[in-house]
Amino acid sequence: MAIVLIGCTADPRKYQGLRSSEQLAEQKKGDFKYEYISPDFNAATYNSAIVDPVEIYNGDDNQFGSVSQKDRTYLADYINKVFPKTISKQYTLTTEPGPNTLRIHITLTGIKKSTPVLSTLSHASSFGLVTNGVLQAVGENGTAYGAVYYAVEIFDSQSSRLLYAHVTVQTPDALDVTASFGYLDAAREGVRIGAQHLVRKLNKLSKQAPKTSVIEKTGTIGK
């Protein structure tokens, strides 16, 4: 019974079709499986952001499995709503490149669907509560829960230079029974969580000085 209920959510991959693939490095801890930060990225100098329409990844190393194109489009549309709304809490949204403006590109790379009845029952039973309590304690997703896989790549809007990137899988807390009803509910909640994680990460980077400052003779930052 425990084996049936727990299942597993596979780790995200360093998807080869991403522009940032070669720069991404595996992280031993933190919110994201793979991450890249440009050494001279000074996040504090940016106050506006362009959020590109979500790209649905078609590489052979995607993690959609048998998820239909309709469901992929549905979740991409949901990301298109949630991420800009969350990002706007820290940045002024714009559609035009300019100074002090980021361009944020999100690629949906995979979806794991929940098993609706099983996930709800597993959270409502006493056995399920114990099991999910243990899973939450070790940072795992809930029983029979789904997840969303995606990549975030952030560029300077004028130079198109890669400043930051991460690849991640997001899923609700193991004890969040509200995300257990529909087969995409957990993935939707993962989108909301992921958007908050991105803003929190950018806020953290805004408070940190860049690791290096490469200054050319002209006085501009080297690319």
Side-chain angles (χ1 to χ4, degrees):
M1 181 69 170
I3 294 174
V4 172
L5 285 178
I6 292 174
C8 65
T9 295
D11 285 340
R13 301 164 183 167
K14 194 166 71 168
Y15 308 101
Q16 295 304 303
L18 296 176
R19 179 173 170 181
S20 61
S21 182
E22 291 186 3
Q23 288 99 325
L24 290 166
E26 186 171 359
Q27 306 298 304
K28 300 301 181 183
K29 59 181 180 178
D31 291 327
F32 311 116
K33 178 67 175 180
Y34 295 98
E35 192 172 37
Y36 166 76
I37 305 173
S38 176
D40 59 354
F41 176 30
N42 188 351
T45 64
Y46 293 87
N47 52 34
S48 299
I50 300 167
V51 183
D52 290 342
V54 173
E55 176 183 354
I56 300 176
Y57 187 68
N58 291 317
D60 292 338
D61 53 349
N62 73 74
Q63 292 181 273
F64 290 110
S66 61
V67 175
S68 69
Q69 288 293 336
K70 180 180 179 181
D71 286 339
R72 299 180 196 188
T73 300
Y74 168 81
L75 200 62
D77 289 343
Y78 188 69
I79 295 172
N80 277 327
K81 295 176 183 177
V82 172
F83 267 74
K85 182 178 180 180
T86 305
I87 292 167
S88 69
K89 296 177 182 179
Q90 181 159 330
Y91 296 93
T92 300
L93 297 187
T94 182
T95 58
E96 297 295 330
N100 312 119
T101 301
L102 301 170
R103 180 166 67 84
I104 301 175
H105 188 81
I106 301 164
T107 305
L108 177 62
T109 56
I111 299 171
K112 178 187 174 185
K113 295 190 291 187
S114 299
T115 308
V117 175
L118 181 57
S119 61
T120 302
L121 290 176
S122 69
H123 282 75
S125 68
S126 57
F127 173 80
L129 288 172
V130 172
T131 301
N132 284 293
V134 172
L135 290 173
Q136 178 157 299
V138 297
E140 297 292 339
N141 66 300
T143 52
Y145 263 3
V148 58
Y149 296 79
Y150 63 90
V152 173
E153 296 170 301
I154 300 180
F155 306 90
D156 179 274
S157 69
Q158 290 185 307
S159 68
S160 296
R161 184 168 63 93
L162 180 66
L163 301 173
Y164 174 80
H166 71 242
V167 170
T168 188
V169 55
Q170 296 292 342
T171 188
D173 289 340
L175 290 175
D176 184 0
V177 70
T178 64
S180 69
F181 300 111
Y183 66 93
L184 288 179
D185 281 358
R188 283 164 51 93
E189 180 61 20
V191 169
R192 292 191 288 268
I193 293 170
Q196 294 167 4
H197 283 181
L198 173 60
V199 169
R200 185 163 64 239
K201 180 67 178 186
L202 289 171
N203 185 54
K204 181 179 179 181
L205 289 173
S206 295
K207 297 177 181 178
Q208 296 175 346
K211 295 178 182 178
T212 60
S213 295
V214 182
I215 308 298
E216 296 179 341
K217 292 181 180 179
T218 58
T220 59
I221 298 179
K223 298 180 182 179

